Amino acid sequence: MPEIQSVPVDVVDSHIHSRQKPTGIKTYEFDATHVFADLENSGVMMAHEMPNTTPPLTTYVEIKSRIEELKHISNYGGLYFCYNGKNLEELKSCLADPEIKKYIVWVKIYPATHAAGSVTTSGWAAQDMYDFSLEEDSEFDQIGKFCSEQNLSITIHCEDPVEKWKIEKYGTVDDDTEPSFVWKTVIPLCEKYPELKFIVAHVSHKLTVERLKEAWEAGMKNIFVEITPHHLLLTTTEIQEMLGKDAI
């Protein structure tokens, strides 16, 4: 058996979550200073921050403030802009500022996450969701078209908002929110804008993979996926059993 050798490489992690303040009863060192320092000690030479912070990174002002706060960190590579269906002009303002633009990595969408600013009012009523149709100039179509023109990638936390609302309201057992949204919304958008690079974050459903495989075999080349061990192997309940109910 050949000897396994370690080869030094520059590692980039493009999916980092940090929180400005501890939440809940327990205190977890998830603030950016600790997170980026731990990553650097582990060999991650550059990392990009997800935008579902508190508050979410949905405006020019919030993003500029966050960049000013973190840009001194040696392995800080920038952040994602959180699109909530109402803030395309805020994204344009970020890209118009050269000092901000260089830190905007990708756009992130959370279709069914109120905390990330993607639901216009509290509660899970269908009318609270922004327009994910592919009609010309819908809110979802707008961001797809814009990012395609700007060569700016979109990463999506893939949940069907209506299906998730049904689960929370009626306790549905079968969680098909991810493959449902991929099939009904993501793949058609990528077909409509073939120059758009689209990443489905932390895939965790077999049917999602099957849907995507069909699209790839049909020739689609602009949709990608990422996979994380904890999304594949752990449930929310298991994490809370290990770390406490305030861990999620």
Side-chain angles (χ1 to χ4, degrees):
M1 179 176 178
E3 181 182 353
I4 298 176
Q5 299 190 9
S6 175
V7 180
V9 295
D10 289 339
V11 179
V12 178
D13 192 330
S14 288
H15 196 134
I16 295 303
H17 292 276
S18 60
R19 301 290 184 265
Q20 294 95 320
K21 298 178 181 179
T23 303
I25 300 173
K26 295 182 180 180
T27 299
Y28 301 100
E29 293 180 341
F30 289 162
D31 61 280
T33 301
H34 284 94
V35 168
F36 281 91
D38 288 344
L39 288 168
E40 187 170 19
N41 291 336
S42 301
V44 177
M45 306 314 296
M46 180 180 290
H48 305 132
E49 185 180 36
M50 285 291 165
N52 56 334
T53 51
T54 305
L57 302 176
T58 57
T59 68
Y60 171 83
V61 171
E62 288 292 347
I63 285 178
K64 183 177 181 179
S65 174
R66 189 64 170 167
I67 291 171
E68 289 296 323
E69 179 185 353
L70 302 182
K71 68 181 183 180
H72 69 280
I73 298 175
S74 61
N75 61 339
Y76 180 71
L79 47 74
Y80 289 69
F81 178 91
C82 183
Y83 180 67
N84 64 10
K86 311 293 181 186
N87 60 342
L88 183 55
E89 293 303 315
E90 297 286 347
L91 175 57
K92 291 179 180 179
S93 295
C94 291
L95 298 179
D97 185 334
E99 292 303 308
I100 302 300
K101 180 180 180 179
K102 64 184 180 182
Y103 286 100
I104 302 294
V105 181
W106 287 330
V107 170
K108 182 69 182 284
I109 300 177
Y110 299 85
T113 305
H114 176 62
S118 294
V119 181
T120 55
T121 64
S122 60
W124 288 111
Q127 63 267 24
D128 293 335
M129 313 302 171
Y130 67 81
D131 186 0
F132 283 101
S133 75
L134 296 179
E135 295 296 324
E136 195 70 28
D137 218 30
S138 72
E139 291 159 344
F140 197 56
D141 181 72
Q142 285 179 37
I143 194 64
K145 180 180 180 180
F146 180 78
C147 287
S148 177
E149 294 170 344
Q150 298 294 318
N151 194 28
L152 191 61
S153 300
I154 295 175
T155 296
I156 193 161
H157 181 91
C158 220
E159 292 178 321
D160 186 313
V162 176
E163 291 298 321
K164 184 171 181 179
W165 170 73
K166 291 178 182 177
I167 291 171
E168 298 198 356
K169 185 174 180 64
Y170 300 112
T172 309
V173 175
D174 295 328
D175 184 358
D176 291 334
T177 63
E178 181 185 90
S180 173
F181 197 76
V182 166
W183 181 251
K184 294 190 299 185
T185 307
V186 172
I187 290 176
L189 184 73
C190 291
E191 289 175 335
K192 186 173 184 179
Y193 298 108
E195 299 302 316
L196 173 66
K197 184 178 179 182
F198 206 104
I199 300 95
V200 180
H202 41 66
V203 168
S204 58
H205 201 293
K206 178 182 178 181
L207 186 56
T208 302
V209 177
E210 292 174 353
R211 297 295 196 194
L212 290 170
K213 186 178 179 181
E214 292 172 3
W216 293 328
E217 289 176 347
M220 182 172 287
K221 300 184 183 300
N222 60 328
I223 185 168
F224 304 85
V225 300
E226 64 173 41
I227 298 173
T228 64
H230 58 286
H231 282 94
L232 286 178
L233 303 176
L234 293 173
T235 66
T236 299
T237 301
E238 289 169 332
I239 294 174
Q240 290 177 329
E241 287 174 351
M242 290 186 287
L243 299 177
K245 292 184 177 180
D246 59 323
I248 301 298

